[in-house]
Amino acid sequence: LFFAFVNEEKFSENGWMVYNPMSEYRRQGLPNERWRVTFINEHYGLCDTYPSLLVVPYNATDDDLKKVAAFRSRNRIPVLSWIHPETQAVIMRCSQPLVGMSGKRNKDDERYLDIIREANGQISKLTIYDARPSVNAVANKATGGGYEGEDAYPNAELFFLDIHNIHVMRESLKKLKDIVYPNVEESHWLSSLESTHWLEHIKLVLTGAIQVADKVSSGRSSVLVHCSDGWDRTAQLTSLAMLMLDSYYRTIEGFEVLVQKEWISFGHKFASRIGHGDKNHADADRSPIFLQFIDCVWQMSKQFPTAFEFNEQFLITILDHLYSCRFGTFLYNSEFLREKEKVSEKTLSLWSLINSEKSKYTNPFYSKELNRALYPVASMRHLELWVNYYIRWNPRIRQQQPNPVEQRYMELLALRDDYIRRLEELQITNNSKISNSSASSTSPSQMVSQVQTHF
Amino acid sequence: EIHIKEPIEKEVNPRLLPGELLLCEASTVYKYMQEDGSNRGTYGKLVCTNFKISFLDDDSASDDNEPQFKNKIVGENDITLQCVDQIYGVYDEKKKLLTGQLRKYPEKLIIYCKDLRVFNFCLRYTKEEEVKRIVSGIVHHSQTPKLLKRLFLFSYASAAPNNTDGRNQTVMFETLEDWRDELERTKGNVKYKTVTTNEGYRVSEKLPLYFVVPICISEESILKYEGRGIPIWCWSCHNGAALLKMSAFPKEQDDSTSQMQKAFLDGIYKTISKPPYELLKMDDLSSSLPSLQDIQTAYTRFKQLFLIDNSTDFWATDVKWFSLLESTNWLEIIRRVLKKAIEVAECLEIQHTNVLLIEESATDLCCVISSLVQVMMDSYSRTKSGFQSLIQKEWVIGGHGFLDRCNHLHKSEKEEAPVFLLLLNCIWQLVQQYPPAFEFTETYLTVLSDSLYVPIFSTFFFNSQHQRDTNKSGESLKTQSGPFRFLTVWDWSVQFDPKAQAFLNNPLYAEKPKPDKSQRKTARFKHQRQLSLPLTQAKPSPKRGFFREETDHLIKNILGKRIGKFINSSDEPPNSLREFYDSWHSKPVDYHGLLLPRIDGPEIKVWAQRYLRWIPEAQLHGGGTIATAAKILDLMEEVQSLQVKMDEEHSQAVSGDVHSVPMLRNSARLSSLFPFALLQRQSVKPALPTSTWKDLEDEDDLVKRDDEFVDLSGDML
């Protein structure tokens, strides 16, 4: 069916080994006395769009989880995405509660959220971020959804993040394409760009993620994130917040884990959003949600050029293979389906390609920093259109490759290493000179002139 | 009345420069920190001198926090009188512009600066008498018309011991030799000559003492109309084609006068458009580029976007940021100017034609275009000394009216136009597009733009060489023994110590490989990359109608055959420009060769360092371009120390003469506003928009839709 199934490329690395949920949770220090791993979804019986392995509060039984599932859209119950190593505050993700027009309540759900709130030992309220504009959240009641009301959840504070739905995002990207293809708008570039709203959407997504991250970090409060189904905007928010809070996700391997975990395993509907291999695919299901997430990551890497181990090429490669079907990584809508189709046995992982030639995707300016929250500035003054991605086919916009700043840095690195090597050699010869005082050393003039051309 | 309550106030005295006089002061002034809109700040004294307005912090004891990049003349809390843009008073929460006489005195004072700083002072705790004196003093000394001789420049020059070292490589273009050397350097001396006709300013007070014209131009014709209608040489391209400028005749009512002028021009054009001179193309910049008024209006709107009062203001303007930017038209003007420079470069480089820039005085847009063309085509102009020499040649000696254009004397707002800033903004676009091509950094451009308002240098405080020369002689017989000796801005040691000066040098600059001495003469100014476009290379049959807006009234009257070719053909599309631009961009860049700016929409950017540097909300902790620059500098430092070690190992080796590298400690957490950031405090709180955009009227139907069209009520068990 897909090329990925007949692709016979060979790579030195096996990308399917990159993500192991158990070891990722262990890296986060889980399970612990407050959080446990549950296998209730081992055969996807609880929720067919969730991964098999879930982390839930220690004090909630599997039976509790089943009851909660009944009150959450598509059974996507609140589960743990990330735990703060110091504050023990957590980022939870889920789908909307099934409140409906009549304003239904569910005692199990209410108790479950309270258990979550108590789990980090703080007395603060649980913060719920509903990614949607409040109008849409209210409107969702008509079809059985809704949001956590104040009466039912007195210990929770709810904020709407005003991020629009998949249809708005699709329309926005379409408008963006219109202004850069086939020709780039010349005279009214800025207002044309503004009229696409693409960067405004990016700004809202980033702003939401900053709020989530800041709440968990300096607010020391656990956070629950959802939208309608919890696989589009929710994935954007949790993964970006995690990227801001946990420097591991800013490495090549860590980012691969982040994508595997928050997007692929938690059922972002790649097949539907991209429309892989479906001629009669309903256009209404397509949406550039994952692209938007990668764009947000690019904006962050642009603002903090030393904070990410990966470079722009890494992000572009991910996006290229999001559509290419060369790898199995982004095929199908859920882990359940991927297992059914034996994707990891029959196809190659994108991470095999990338990890086999890591140097190509490595940012030379990367400086490792641990435990540092990285907050981008979600201001239009700093956000810019990702020209190297959206307008890369236009020869007149093409950026200089390789990047001259990067090239210069690489040259300096090589020069330093060369110096260190020669210095060692020199010390050896000098040491031998002391024992053999008549020996003369080679002239350093060649070296000196080489340096001077650089400075 | 004078009774001191409590001597809590330490005596803090302003640091005065030679010739600087304290005019008035006020105590217990509260200066707000420009941050989160909270009322945090410090008490201190506000003073006004004949040079600056200065806030003296009461507890300025924390001197160990000395910034790495410090201006020795203008401190963090100093505003030179020329740097004051606007002053507002706040009365009962209402802002009012303060200009002349004041009847009521405000409780708060907001000073907007031309370098885009914003100061907020609260005067509520200050004695009424002092408020009156300081407010009227500040308004008077910074906002009312002044005599030239009352500029601080003169007090400073007469009081300061002048011992700047002469080791400045900048060519000042004050002597005949400087012009001759420049002619020789560009190999223009075959067809062009330096003239001394203007000695004693016989020709014109607007023209420099010495300048260069085509050899065939006679002294009589130069003298005839005070130098108007004379093509003046700017620069010669490696292929011999020259860039010329000409001051046009003003529109004449009198028919016979204009007939005579026409005849004169025809004569001139005939002489300079026959061999050995190349074909001539003319461009009347006053009709093909935006007017000075347009430029002034655009910049006034543009800068306002960066003079931000508080956080709320910042986020409120963020919502419609791009359309706000566009409505100022400033970036569009930059784009048009860059495009014009590309057009001229194409004529010179590909078509081998001379280009004559025409403007009423030939000292505004002519300076912008000719400077830009030289920066793009002559890699010498991309070195620090080369760039400085260029500014001397085209602007300072060339006769750009800095005094009037900057309105330093508050004489007439009509004359004000940020023409030089426009050039710096255009150069910045090139600097950020091609970082290895320039010996200087964007920080250099930023401090150069700030220096426009520092009246201790003569560079930007006269309208012409004549004006400077005549005012140099000192006030007749008064105390002055010799003429004033002014400082030049190019002596950067006046403003910055060596450590800070290191920030002006670009660590990415790929120095031009030095050719052997024997080959030097011939190889030196040849471009490494020649563009070969077969169509245009073969015969000088130029693509016509190149200058789109060829509407010059002069051109219509020209009869000369070689020029005539261009006149009748302005209807053809500018294909050759497109071809030139695309062909250049399809090849790898030679940083020492021709450099063309990219001018498509997304490529023209806001000069963030200059315009955002004082805005805390725009600060990225540990981010921005400084983050990578710091890594490069750290590495350079390491390489240098290794080099020193090597030298030590070869104890006899001569220690290399290396540039000092700025020391950046803890570079990973530098603010993106570095080296200008006032607050490098590590803030834990992320900046969050306080007003966000929600309006999507045009897509209402989409907004209301749900992600998935599934009725969830059916899902329920």
Side-chain angles (χ1 to χ4, degrees):
Chain A
L1 180 65
F2 295 115
F3 173 69
F5 286 93
V6 293
N7 185 1
E8 290 182 13
E9 287 174 280
K10 296 272 184 288
F11 296 105
S12 57
E13 298 287 324
N14 181 1
W16 292 124
M17 307 294 282
V18 164
Y19 178 59
N20 175 318
M22 204 57 207
S23 37
E24 165 55 17
Y25 288 121
R26 281 214 193 93
R27 189 191 66 83
Q28 293 189 28
L30 299 167
N32 62 19
E33 68 276 18
R34 294 173 192 274
W35 298 93
R36 69 186 180 94
V37 172
T38 172
F39 296 95
I40 186 176
N41 202 35
E42 197 175 358
H43 302 293
Y44 308 101
L46 179 77
C47 171
D48 61 359
T49 56
Y50 261 8
S52 59
L53 206 78
L54 300 169
V55 174
V56 294
Y58 191 85
N59 291 339
T61 64
D62 281 2
D63 207 40
D64 291 336
L65 300 179
K66 280 180 193 154
K67 288 178 190 157
V68 173
F71 193 62
R72 290 280 162 179
S73 164
R74 298 171 205 274
N75 301 346
R76 294 172 68 93
I77 58 165
V79 292
L80 180 143
S81 275
W82 190 77
I83 183 163
H84 195 289
E86 283 149 35
T87 67
Q88 296 291 301
V90 296
I91 299 177
M92 306 287 291
R93 62 180 293 170
C94 60
S95 60
Q96 62 181 336
L98 299 176
V99 175
M101 289 295 263
S102 55
K104 286 195 198 69
R105 289 178 57 164
N106 181 303
K107 282 281 166 233
D108 298 300
D109 192 77
E110 290 162 20
R111 200 172 68 88
Y112 184 62
L113 260 56
D114 230 33
I115 294 173
I116 293 168
R117 180 182 65 86
E118 286 162 355
N120 79 332
Q122 306 282 334
I123 31 155
S124 58
K125 284 193 173 184
L126 176 72
T127 310
I128 301 173
Y129 286 108
D130 188 326
R132 301 167 291 185
S134 58
V135 198
N136 296 60
V138 172
N140 259 285
K141 287 186 177 178
T143 50
Y147 55 92
E148 293 81 355
E150 228 176 301
D151 298 339
Y153 302 87
N155 290 326
E157 255 185 312
L158 183 123
F159 300 97
F160 294 105
L161 296 178
D162 297 322
I163 301 168
H164 284 286
N165 63 36
I166 62 165
H167 312 292
V168 173
M169 301 309 182
R170 181 180 58 243
E171 197 55 32
S172 174
L173 183 68
K174 210 160 114 196
K175 284 185 181 167
L176 182 65
K177 277 183 179 150
D178 287 343
I179 67 159
V180 298
Y181 186 84
N183 291 307
V184 177
E185 274 287 325
E186 255 201 12
S187 50
H188 296 285
W189 167 253
L190 287 171
S191 52
S192 307
L193 182 61
E194 187 171 273
S195 71
T196 70
H197 300 303
W198 183 253
L199 289 176
E200 277 111 315
H201 294 308
I202 298 275
K203 175 177 162 175
L204 279 174
V205 173
L206 281 172
T207 304
I210 294 168
Q211 280 171 270
V212 171
D214 185 47
K215 191 56 108 182
V216 172
S217 178
S218 49
R220 314 176 81 83
S221 153
S222 286
V223 159
L224 182 70
V225 182
H226 70 71
C227 45
S228 298
D229 292 304
W231 51 44
D232 292 310
R233 289 168 272 200
T234 301
Q236 289 179 331
L237 291 168
T238 57
S239 55
L240 284 170
M242 287 157 76
L243 196 65
M244 290 171 196
L245 293 171
D246 191 338
S247 60
Y248 168 69
Y249 298 124
R250 295 174 219 144
T251 65
I252 290 180
E253 190 201 295
F255 191 77
E256 292 168 355
V257 166
L258 184 67
V259 170
Q260 279 302 148
K261 179 178 184 300
E262 289 303 297
W263 291 85
I264 299 172
S265 86
F266 273 96
H268 172 67
K269 304 207 296 175
F270 281 103
S272 308
R273 295 293 174 255
I274 308 304
H276 280 148
D278 187 354
K279 263 187 201 161
N280 305 317
H281 190 82
D283 202 40
D285 267 348
R286 293 184 206 235
S287 190
I289 300 302
F290 185 72
L291 162 65
Q292 199 171 44
F293 159 70
I294 296 289
D295 195 331
C296 290
V297 176
W298 178 81
Q299 302 285 352
M300 283 182 68
S301 72
K302 183 93 184 147
Q303 294 189 9
F304 299 98
T306 61
F308 295 83
E309 191 193 13
F310 47 85
N311 60 15
E312 185 178 52
Q313 195 50 45
F314 175 76
L315 298 177
I316 291 177
T317 306
I318 290 174
L319 290 178
D320 284 348
H321 295 299
L322 173 64
Y323 307 103
S324 79
C325 291
R326 181 171 151 198
F327 301 100
T329 307
F330 299 118
L331 297 181
Y332 303 105
N333 279 340
S334 66
E335 191 176 288
F336 167 61
L337 287 171
R338 252 169 250 122
E339 245 168 56
K340 209 175 110 193
E341 302 290 339
K342 298 192 169 58
V343 167
S344 65
E345 290 160 49
K346 294 183 174 172
T347 73
L348 293 167
S349 160
L350 167 60
W351 318 127
S352 303
L353 170 84
I354 286 171
N355 296 354
S356 299
E357 33 178 358
K358 250 186 179 167
S359 64
K360 200 174 151 190
Y361 304 101
T362 304
N363 169 18
F365 293 110
Y366 175 58
S367 6
K368 200 169 182 173
E369 260 198 286
L370 293 172
N371 302 326
R372 178 182 165 216
L374 195 72
Y375 297 120
V377 174
S379 156
M380 286 312 190
R381 273 98 163 165
H382 283 303
L383 299 182
E384 44 182 300
L385 184 71
W386 187 5
V387 166
N388 284 1
Y389 181 71
Y390 299 107
I391 324 187
R392 64 179 155 158
W393 304 117
N394 188 324
R396 300 182 44 209
I397 304 280
R398 199 170 46 201
Q399 296 290 304
Q400 299 159 56
Q401 289 296 345
N403 173 329
V405 183
E406 215 172 287
Q407 202 175 17
R408 173 80 174 118
Y409 190 69
M410 302 298 275
E411 279 168 22
L412 278 170
L413 279 177
L415 190 65
R416 181 195 63 181
D417 295 345
D418 191 48
Y419 261 122
I420 292 172
R421 189 177 52 76
R422 281 165 185 251
L423 206 58
E424 276 167 6
E425 281 174 16
L426 209 61
Q427 274 158 350
I428 293 164
T429 46
N430 278 5
N431 287 343
S432 60
K433 221 173 19 175
I434 295 164
S435 53
N436 180 13
S437 57
S438 64
S440 64
S441 68
T442 50
S443 158
S445 63
Q446 194 191 346
M447 176 97 44
V448 171
S449 71
Q450 184 192 359
V451 179
Q452 278 174 342
T453 57
H454 279 88
F455 298 116
Chain B
E1 207 192 57
I2 311 155
H3 76 280
I4 300 153
K5 262 189 186 171
E6 269 177 277
I8 8 158
E9 281 171 32
K10 279 182 293 176
E11 200 47 50
V12 206
N13 287 316
R15 215 172 38 87
L16 297 177
L17 292 173
E20 188 175 0
L21 299 168
L22 185 65
L23 300 173
C24 47
E25 58 183 310
S27 316
T28 36
V29 172
Y30 191 75
K31 176 182 167 263
Y32 295 105
M33 297 225 271
Q34 199 209 3
E35 229 179 332
D36 46 35
S38 75
N39 283 339
R40 282 186 296 146
T42 44
Y43 283 101
K45 202 196 266 181
L46 188 62
V47 305
C48 179
T49 75
N50 57 344
F51 171 60
K52 64 177 183 254
I53 297 159
S54 189
F55 177 77
L56 308 161
D57 206 323
D58 278 347
D59 34 46
S60 54
S62 53
D63 265 348
D64 43 308
N65 238 342
E66 189 84 331
Q68 284 177 309
F69 187 75
K70 200 186 126 196
N71 192 309
K72 294 196 277 180
I73 302 295
V74 187
E76 189 179 299
N77 285 323
D78 296 339
I79 313 158
T80 66
L81 297 176
Q82 279 68 34
C83 190
V84 176
D85 189 13
Q86 287 171 322
I87 302 176
Y88 278 87
V90 178
Y91 304 85
D92 305 323
E93 307 287 301
K94 273 186 208 128
K95 270 167 71 177
K96 218 188 125 214
L97 185 69
L98 305 183
T99 44
Q101 285 289 315
L102 304 175
R103 260 183 251 125
K104 250 179 83 188
Y105 291 88
E107 58 220 49
K108 256 168 91 178
L109 201 61
I110 308 175
I111 303 182
Y112 296 99
C113 302
K114 290 187 176 167
D115 62 7
L116 303 142
R117 287 178 297 170
V118 179
F119 286 89
N120 280 276
F121 298 112
C122 177
L123 305 169
R124 212 169 284 150
Y125 316 103
T126 315
K127 289 190 201 110
E128 207 187 316
E129 272 311 298
E130 291 185 355
V131 172
K132 280 183 184 171
R133 249 178 291 148
I134 195 76
V135 175
S136 50
I138 287 175
V139 171
H140 175 77
H141 293 291
S142 69
Q143 300 296 77
T144 56
K146 235 186 203 161
L147 289 172
L148 175 62
K149 280 285 168 99
R150 300 298 295 273
L151 272 179
F152 181 67
L153 180 69
F154 294 96
S155 333
Y156 185 80
S158 50
N162 198 324
N163 44 12
T164 55
D165 60 354
R167 285 189 302 142
N168 199 328
Q169 291 181 354
T170 308
V171 183
M172 303 302 277
F173 289 93
E174 287 168 355
T175 64
L176 197 58
E177 284 67 42
D178 287 350
W179 287 99
R180 284 197 178 133
D181 290 348
E182 178 73 353
L183 257 184
E184 198 180 318
R185 185 184 76 83
T186 58
K187 307 215 179 318
N189 43 3
V190 191
K191 298 169 206 164
Y192 300 90
K193 62 177 179 190
T194 48
V195 288
T196 56
T197 324
N198 202 28
E199 273 177 351
Y201 298 100
R202 283 195 302 147
V203 181
S204 163
E205 293 179 355
K206 286 179 182 157
L207 285 171
L209 215 44
Y210 307 107
F211 52 93
V212 175
V213 295
I215 281 177
C216 58
I217 298 287
S218 69
E219 191 155 309
E220 293 76 62
S221 30
I222 295 173
L223 281 161
K224 189 159 186 188
Y225 293 104
E226 298 180 328
R228 283 183 193 275
I230 298 298
I232 292 174
W233 179 88
C234 298
W235 178 75
S236 284
C237 180
H238 63 94
N239 61 17
L243 181 59
L244 307 162
K245 62 182 172 188
M246 176 198 274
S247 169
F249 290 104
K251 280 209 176 87
E252 271 300 335
Q253 295 304 313
D254 182 53
D255 212 38
S256 65
T257 320
S258 72
Q259 283 303 318
M260 272 166 65
Q261 289 172 352
K262 237 179 253 169
F264 176 77
L265 280 178
D266 289 346
I268 294 284
Y269 292 140
K270 261 185 200 159
T271 15
I272 64 158
S273 48
K274 62 179 176 228
Y277 295 99
E278 289 75 7
L279 283 163
L280 185 69
K281 282 205 173 181
M282 285 177 285
D283 195 346
D284 184 3
L285 298 180
S286 52
S287 60
S288 68
L289 284 179
S291 69
L292 296 189
Q293 189 52 52
D294 293 341
I295 293 167
Q296 168 67 3
T297 312
Y299 185 70
T300 308
R301 289 202 206 119
F302 178 75
K303 68 151 196 236
Q304 215 57 46
L305 297 182
F306 302 92
L307 294 169
I308 295 202
D309 283 339
N310 50 47
S311 200
T312 320
D313 223 24
F314 179 87
W315 291 112
T317 49
D318 205 57
V319 179
K320 286 274 169 193
W321 180 246
F322 290 131
S323 43
L324 279 174
L325 262 187
E326 187 172 287
S327 69
T328 71
N329 208 34
W330 179 247
L331 294 181
E332 177 61 17
I333 287 175
I334 289 172
R335 206 174 70 87
R336 280 184 64 186
V337 166
L338 289 171
K339 193 173 179 191
K340 176 59 71 187
I342 297 170
E343 288 174 13
V344 173
E346 195 261 357
C347 284
L348 295 165
E349 174 87 31
I350 303 299
Q351 306 193 31
H352 297 212
T353 57
N354 287 342
V355 177
L356 178 62
L357 306 174
I358 300 167
E359 196 185 11
E360 164 96 41
S361 67
T363 53
D364 289 301
L365 293 171
C366 274
C367 302
V368 177
I369 298 299
S370 74
S371 306
L372 260 180
V373 168
Q374 290 175 61
V375 167
M376 282 156 49
M377 300 185 75
D378 187 345
S379 64
Y380 166 67
S381 301
R382 303 197 285 262
T383 65
K384 219 159 94 188
S385 58
F387 183 70
Q388 295 176 169
S389 305
L390 177 71
I391 302 303
Q392 279 294 130
K393 180 172 76 164
E394 298 297 336
W395 296 78
V396 181
I397 298 302
H400 174 68
F402 281 105
L403 204 53
D404 292 343
R405 293 290 174 251
C406 299
N407 202 13
H408 283 319
L409 301 179
H410 288 276
K411 269 193 172 151
S412 161
E413 278 180 13
K414 271 187 217 148
E415 291 291 310
E416 194 172 340
V419 187
F420 187 64
L421 271 182
L422 176 61
L423 172 78
L424 295 185
N425 275 272
C426 292
I427 302 284
W428 179 84
Q429 303 292 337
L430 279 160
V431 166
Q432 62 99 20
Q433 289 179 11
Y434 306 103
F438 291 83
E439 194 188 21
F440 47 84
T441 56
E442 66 165 333
T443 305
Y444 169 87
L445 293 174
T446 303
V447 298
L448 181 57
S449 74
D450 291 344
S451 305
L452 273 174
Y453 318 112
V454 183
I456 65 166
F457 308 109
S458 65
T459 315
F460 302 130
F461 283 85
F462 288 108
N463 280 331
S464 63
Q465 192 180 10
H466 168 263
Q467 191 185 32
R468 201 193 60 166
D469 283 357
T470 48
N471 284 290
K472 209 176 184 176
S473 47
E475 301 204 318
S476 53
L477 302 163
K478 206 178 131 196
T479 58
Q480 205 61 41
S481 50
F484 289 120
R485 295 192 59 197
F486 298 125
L487 292 178
T488 162
V489 73
W490 312 125
D491 186 355
W492 292 104
S493 67
V494 176
Q495 293 190 76
F496 302 102
D497 62 24
K499 237 167 77 188
Q501 275 186 65
F503 286 102
L504 312 183
N505 300 325
N506 178 12
L508 294 172
Y509 180 56
E511 208 170 295
K512 200 169 180 177
K514 284 174 187 140
D516 284 328
K517 269 203 171 160
S518 53
Q519 298 175 351
R520 206 176 212 165
K521 277 239 152 142
T522 49
R524 195 156 156 213
F525 304 109
K526 237 184 162 188
H527 288 282
Q528 291 182 347
R529 174 167 51 158
Q530 303 284 335
L531 274 146
S532 54
L533 295 178
L535 268 174
T536 50
Q537 201 81 327
K539 228 187 168 186
S541 69
K543 298 281 177 204
R544 292 160 190 186
F546 181 71
F547 292 112
R548 235 187 247 173
E549 296 106 328
E550 214 164 17
T551 51
D552 178 25
H553 63 283
L554 289 167
I555 292 173
K556 291 179 195 128
N557 301 315
I558 295 158
L559 306 162
K561 248 191 181 173
R562 299 189 92 212
I563 313 168
K565 275 186 183 172
F566 309 106
I567 305 159
N568 308 324
S569 51
S570 52
D571 43 350
E572 275 180 47
N575 283 331
S576 73
L577 176 66
R578 182 77 323 161
E579 201 180 321
F580 173 61
Y581 184 83
D582 288 348
S583 141
W584 187 87
H585 282 289
S586 66
K587 291 173 192 160
V589 182
D590 168 13
Y591 294 115
H592 299 292
L594 178 70
L595 217 56
L596 296 186
R598 292 188 297 262
I599 56 167
D600 285 272
E603 307 282 10
I604 305 294
K605 292 181 180 159
V606 172
W607 183 358
Q609 188 192 55
R610 178 166 203 270
Y611 296 104
L612 293 178
R613 61 188 152 150
W614 314 116
I615 304 175
E617 287 79 10
Q619 174 164 232
L620 302 162
H621 287 286
T625 48
I626 189 68
T628 40
K631 296 257 334 180
I632 288 172
L633 292 173
D634 283 350
L635 186 55
M636 281 176 75
E637 204 185 314
E638 197 185 335
V639 170
Q640 276 182 15
S641 72
L642 282 168
Q643 191 180 8
V644 170
K645 263 194 203 152
M646 286 280 277
D647 290 348
E648 281 166 3
E649 290 291 328
H650 299 278
S651 46
Q652 297 303 316
V654 197
S655 67
D657 181 28
V658 284
H659 281 287
S660 59
V661 172
M663 305 277 278
L664 304 168
R665 253 161 265 109
N666 202 7
S667 53
R669 300 209 177 201
L670 280 177
S671 154
S672 60
L673 308 182
F674 185 85
F676 294 99
L678 285 171
L679 325 140
Q680 292 192 27
R681 197 176 49 82
Q682 181 74 33
S683 123
V684 211
K685 271 284 179 195
L688 278 174
T690 50
S691 51
T692 50
W693 143 98
K694 290 175 191 175
D695 182 31
L696 267 176
E697 311 117 343
D698 51 331
E699 289 163 17
D700 221 22
D701 52 324
L702 287 180
V703 174
K704 285 187 197 135
R705 278 166 71 178
D706 197 8
D707 280 355
E708 253 75 24
F709 291 100
V710 179
D711 201 331
L712 292 169
S713 34
D715 273 2
M716 292 168 70
L717 300 167

